[in-house]
Amino acid sequence: MRNDKLDLPENLHQFAFLPRFSENIEFLANLSEDEDWKYHHTESDFPILENYIKYTYRRLAEEKKISYSREGTHCCINTGLVTRNQEAIFMVFDENKIEDVEPYWHFYKFLRKGEYELSKFPKLPEMAFYFDDPAKLVYDVKKELVANVEHIIEDNKNRFPEPYCSMNNYQLQNSIHGSINSAKERVKRSYKTAVPQYYRNNIQLLVPLCLNDPKIADLALVVEDYGLMYRASTCLTLDMAINNARQIARPDRDWLQP
């Protein structure tokens, strides 16, 4: 098998040529079990699912969880998704025969585990794995949360909705401090409030920042585990948060509504 077949670049588009990718993502959305893959406030097809596939590939490339056919003409990855009948779905590639298109591989199709075409693989690949310690997925309410509110504002003010992004920093600090205190109490009442996300080989937790209405999150505060305490120094829009959180599992939509 030639070495270029085995190259696993970080980017899916560098690994394989992906013709009509949006159409194939729509096919995958219909093949997999029902899930909301759309942003609620943006006109787009299935952006969450498209990002999910891209970042799932990235993690699988890191873990080298790619299987090759006996003849070496095909390869596949485990998407981590299942059909409505709980049958695993695989993303299959064949050799790229299109001239002047650089990637060695070419996206072929999404296949259910039971489909005959997967029999060409001596062993099907495993799902992506993101954590070693399950305790990292749960917020420890005994730990103190220290938030660098000044840094949150300096680096992320453009992510705040109106009127907050137009406030002076002092006014916004007061709003954020109150929202963080409310989030702490909310996590104490329900551990599911803190949603895990995978980011740069690390598990972080997302908690809601409700600036105006206690029932509606405006942003997601990113909480990192520093051993004896948690630190928060950045925030994400809800669209960004749902993309990151979905890599690990389908998040509870109690507050994380894209």
Side-chain angles (χ1 to χ4, degrees):
M1 189 179 291
R2 283 168 32 196
N3 287 337
D4 52 353
K5 287 186 180 181
L6 302 177
D7 288 342
L8 300 177
E10 183 179 85
N11 192 306
L12 176 59
H13 287 273
Q14 294 173 323
F15 174 74
F17 176 50
L18 305 169
R20 302 185 305 278
F21 193 51
S22 295
E23 294 175 28
N24 287 302
I25 288 294
E26 183 176 2
F27 172 84
L28 178 60
N30 293 323
L31 178 64
S32 60
E33 63 182 345
D34 291 336
E35 185 167 347
D36 186 358
W37 294 110
K38 298 185 177 184
Y39 299 145
H40 293 178
H41 307 293
T42 305
E43 286 297 326
S44 187
D45 293 328
F46 301 97
I48 299 172
L49 180 55
E50 184 170 334
N51 282 309
Y52 171 85
I53 289 296
K54 290 177 180 177
Y55 287 104
T56 295
Y57 162 78
R58 177 178 293 184
R59 180 58 177 166
L60 291 169
E62 290 173 356
E63 296 185 295
K64 295 181 169 57
K65 288 181 177 177
I66 295 185
S67 292
Y68 298 88
S69 64
R70 293 176 181 85
E71 297 79 13
T73 57
H74 293 74
C75 68
C76 75
I77 62 174
N78 189 327
T79 67
L81 303 174
V82 295
T83 67
R84 292 164 181 80
N85 294 321
Q86 301 302 298
E87 192 174 6
I89 300 173
F90 294 84
M91 188 175 189
V92 182
F93 307 86
D94 59 8
E95 293 174 312
N96 180 22
K97 295 181 172 60
I98 303 175
E99 295 183 5
D100 301 323
V101 175
E102 186 174 339
Y104 183 90
W105 296 105
H106 165 275
F107 171 68
Y108 176 52
K109 63 170 67 172
F110 292 105
L111 292 172
R112 296 178 290 103
K113 183 177 181 180
E115 295 194 67
Y116 176 76
E117 289 175 277
L118 288 177
S119 63
K120 61 171 59 76
F121 296 96
K123 184 179 180 181
L124 292 174
E126 298 178 359
M127 296 168 48
F129 192 71
Y130 294 97
F131 55 89
D132 295 313
D133 182 3
K136 294 287 187 181
L137 304 178
V138 181
Y139 191 103
D140 185 349
V141 296
K142 298 187 295 294
K143 293 183 180 181
E144 182 184 7
L145 171 58
V146 178
N148 187 341
V149 176
E150 292 80 3
H151 188 271
I152 291 171
I153 294 173
E154 288 172 5
D155 280 19
N156 305 284
K157 196 168 185 180
N158 62 321
R159 295 177 180 173
F160 284 77
E162 289 286 1
Y164 302 96
C165 61
S166 299
M167 286 181 176
N168 66 53
N169 287 0
Y170 178 75
Q171 290 175 307
L172 187 52
Q173 283 182 34
N174 290 335
S175 295
I176 293 173
H177 279 299
S179 297
I180 291 175
N181 289 335
S182 297
K184 290 178 184 178
E185 294 302 312
R186 186 167 175 174
V187 173
K188 288 179 183 178
R189 293 192 298 271
S190 173
Y191 72 92
K192 292 194 298 182
T193 298
V195 176
Q197 76 164 7
Y198 178 78
Y199 182 71
R200 293 184 178 177
N201 296 315
N202 191 27
I203 297 295
Q204 302 169 327
L205 296 171
L206 304 171
V207 297
L209 278 183
C210 303
L211 299 169
N212 181 55
D213 186 327
K215 298 184 290 298
I216 300 175
D218 296 288
L219 296 162
L221 184 71
V222 180
V223 175
E224 296 188 75
D225 190 347
Y226 276 70
L228 297 178
M229 68 175 186
Y230 289 119
R231 284 188 60 86
S233 56
T234 191
C235 64
L236 303 176
T237 65
L238 299 186
D239 288 351
M240 296 164 67
I242 192 71
N243 280 320
N244 292 352
R246 185 57 187 85
Q247 292 308 120
I248 297 178
R250 184 191 303 191
D252 189 304
R253 293 297 182 90
D254 181 42
W255 65 269
L256 192 47
Q257 297 286 344

